C-alpha cells in the first residue's frame, strides 16, 4: 500500500511540476510585456500593480503569452477585500 501511495505521489508531483513551470513562464512573459506598468509584487499567479483608479488599464497583455488560451481577469480596488472585476 505504501508503494502505491509513493507512485501516486510521484505522478501528482510530476504532473504539477509541468503546470507550475508553465504558469511561471507565462507570468514572466506578462511581466516583460507589461514592463511600463508600475508593478509592485507577484503573489502566486497574480501580479499586483499600483495604478491610479481612473487610469485605463490595458487588458491585452495576455495575447500571445502561450500557445493556448490563457484566462486573465483584471480586478481593481482600494484593498484585497474590495476588489471588483473590470
Amino acid at each position: 500500500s505504501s508503494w502505491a501511495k509513493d507512485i501516486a505521489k510521484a505522478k501528482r508531483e510530476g504532473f504539477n511540476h509541468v503546470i507550475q513551470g508553465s504558469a511561471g513562464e507565462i507570468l514572466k512573459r506578462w511581466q516583460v510585456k507589461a514592463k511600463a506598468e508600475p508593478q509592485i509584487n507577484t503573489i502566486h499567479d497574480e501580479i499586483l500593480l499600483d495604478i491610479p483608479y481612473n487610469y485605463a488599464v490595458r487588458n491585452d497583455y495576455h495575447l500571445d503569452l502561450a500557445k493556448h488560451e490563457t484566462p486573465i481577469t483584471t480586478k481593481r480596488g482600494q484593498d484585497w477585500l474590495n476588489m471588483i472585476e473590470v
Side-chain angles (χ1 to χ4, degrees):
S1 178
S2 175
W3 176 251
K5 288 181 182 179
D6 290 343
I7 291 173
K9 179 181 176 186
K11 286 182 180 180
R12 278 194 313 276
E13 289 175 354
F15 183 76
N16 189 43
H17 178 75
V18 174
I19 293 171
Q20 295 258 340
S22 299
E25 288 301 314
I26 291 170
L27 184 66
K28 289 178 205 171
R29 289 180 186 180
W30 194 96
Q31 287 181 297
V32 169
K33 287 181 84 170
K35 65 184 173 207
E37 306 294 351
Q39 297 177 28
I40 300 293
N41 202 352
T42 57
I43 301 147
H44 299 289
D45 60 349
E46 298 181 3
I47 298 176
L48 178 62
L49 306 174
D50 187 15
I51 298 175
Y53 195 76
N54 59 353
Y55 182 81
V57 178
R58 284 184 54 193
N59 204 15
D60 62 347
Y61 290 125
H62 67 285
L63 301 175
D64 301 325
L65 289 178
K67 294 179 181 180
H68 51 77
E69 183 178 338
T70 54
I72 302 288
T73 56
T74 303
K75 297 179 182 179
R76 65 179 351 155
Q78 295 296 324
D79 54 48
W80 285 105
L81 291 176
N82 297 305
M83 301 294 280
I84 56 170
E85 193 168 333
V86 292

